[in-house]
Amino acid sequence: MAPNPDRDLADARAAIDRGDEGAALKRLEKARRGYARLRDAAGLEHLLVLADVLQAADEQARTGRDNLLYAIRQNLRLEARRRAQQRGEAWQDPYPGLQAPTEHTRIAITRGVKFWIALGVVLATLVIAGVFVAVAVFSASTTDVTVRLVNDTRSRVTVRGCDDSDCATIWTQADLDPGLSAERDVPVDDVVEYFEVKQSGRTLECLPLRLHDAYERSGERASVLVARLSAATPCPGITVLPKVAREVGL
């Protein structure tokens, strides 16, 4: 099914209006993936502002929001570099200091200030969209990388690959005994790839992998990236940077 990020964005706004930030985060994540597939930088910028407005009162919501903001910024970096390559220009990183969500330093901004900032950016986005309404969506080949999921726990686990953070759609599943691994090919353009990990007798945990970041740090030479399932944390999960296989001997 073709992505419809505008509809997901509208659903996210409705969830924010009724105070359901959990549902809003899920819809914003779906919208992010849709805009990323369409290579819609203006849509991603809009999402960035809207996601930053979320108050995220509890730890789970804060984790989900930070993961989302990180993924949106990585998508925008990718789009900026792609456009620079198409124009034959030098690429300037729009987020040179971007770090993993757990390493972010937060600056307190009141809800009122965030609202007016968001409103200004939305209006600017609409103006830009009106000017560039005829811009075509370019097609380009996508590089795949192999993700090796290693069960380094002491029990049998079930790991599922999800299309988004709420795992409403599953694209792969594997049952792994201790010491075994499974490999899946995924596009490196997927900034964060979501996996759910379930051990017998334990609650479900999540393993969001920062694939694009790991691929870039390898000098774009990685063919296999390794993720240990013991790194999974309570959902929505703290993002994890997988390692290049040759660096960990797996």
Side-chain angles (χ1 to χ4, degrees):
M1 183 180 296
N4 191 343
D6 292 336
R7 182 179 62 191
D8 293 322
L9 181 58
D11 290 342
R13 285 174 178 155
I16 292 173
D17 289 341
R18 65 175 182 266
D20 189 350
E21 292 196 338
L25 283 168
K26 292 177 181 179
R27 286 299 180 181
L28 288 171
E29 170 59 23
K30 290 189 177 189
R32 179 192 71 80
R33 291 209 166 207
Y35 285 130
R37 292 189 184 108
L38 294 174
R39 295 172 184 169
D40 186 342
L44 290 168
E45 290 279 7
H46 190 173
L47 282 181
L48 185 64
V49 175
L50 194 58
D52 199 37
V53 171
L54 295 174
Q55 292 297 294
D58 58 73
E59 187 61 32
Q60 184 178 26
R62 282 193 293 272
T63 299
R65 182 195 61 189
D66 289 350
N67 287 349
L68 176 63
L69 289 170
Y70 171 80
I72 294 171
R73 290 178 177 124
Q74 283 284 27
N75 284 134
L76 287 168
R77 291 175 88 182
L78 183 61
E79 285 308 308
R81 186 169 64 173
R82 181 182 286 119
R83 291 186 180 188
Q85 290 173 343
Q86 289 173 346
R87 297 169 182 168
E89 301 172 349
W91 175 58
Q92 293 186 347
D93 189 348
Y95 302 104
L98 183 62
Q99 300 293 329
T102 53
E103 298 169 333
H104 283 172
T105 299
R106 297 187 178 89
I107 299 176
I109 301 178
T110 65
R111 192 183 188 93
V113 172
K114 287 183 177 181
F115 171 79
W116 288 111
I117 293 173
L119 181 61
V121 173
V122 169
L123 292 175
T125 300
L126 291 175
V127 172
I128 294 171
V131 174
F132 294 99
V133 68
V135 174
V137 177
F138 293 95
S139 60
S141 59
T142 299
T143 301
D144 283 351
V145 66
T146 299
V147 175
R148 183 177 299 157
L149 303 164
V150 180
N151 181 9
D152 59 333
T153 71
R154 296 183 179 181
S155 60
R156 180 180 175 85
V157 303
T158 296
V159 57
R160 303 191 300 177
C162 309
D163 278 349
D164 44 52
S165 58
D166 64 352
C167 214
T169 304
I170 300 169
W171 62 270
T172 187
Q173 179 169 317
D175 296 317
L176 300 174
D177 288 323
L180 297 185
S181 62
E183 293 187 350
R184 299 292 186 270
D185 291 335
V186 294
V188 296
D189 281 2
D190 286 351
V191 175
V192 178
E193 193 69 40
Y194 294 94
F195 291 93
E196 285 188 344
V197 179
K198 177 71 173 180
Q199 296 186 38
S200 177
R202 294 185 61 181
T203 58
L204 185 72
E205 294 184 318
C206 290
L207 185 66
L209 300 178
R210 292 156 44 205
L211 293 181
H212 184 70
D213 196 5
Y215 185 73
E216 280 194 327
R217 293 189 183 198
S218 74
E220 301 185 349
R221 294 187 300 273
S223 58
V224 179
L225 295 173
V226 177
R228 300 178 186 272
L229 300 186
S230 62
T233 51
C235 295
I238 302 297
T239 57
V240 173
L241 183 71
K243 304 295 184 181
V244 178
R246 62 176 178 271
E247 295 177 354
V248 295
L250 292 172

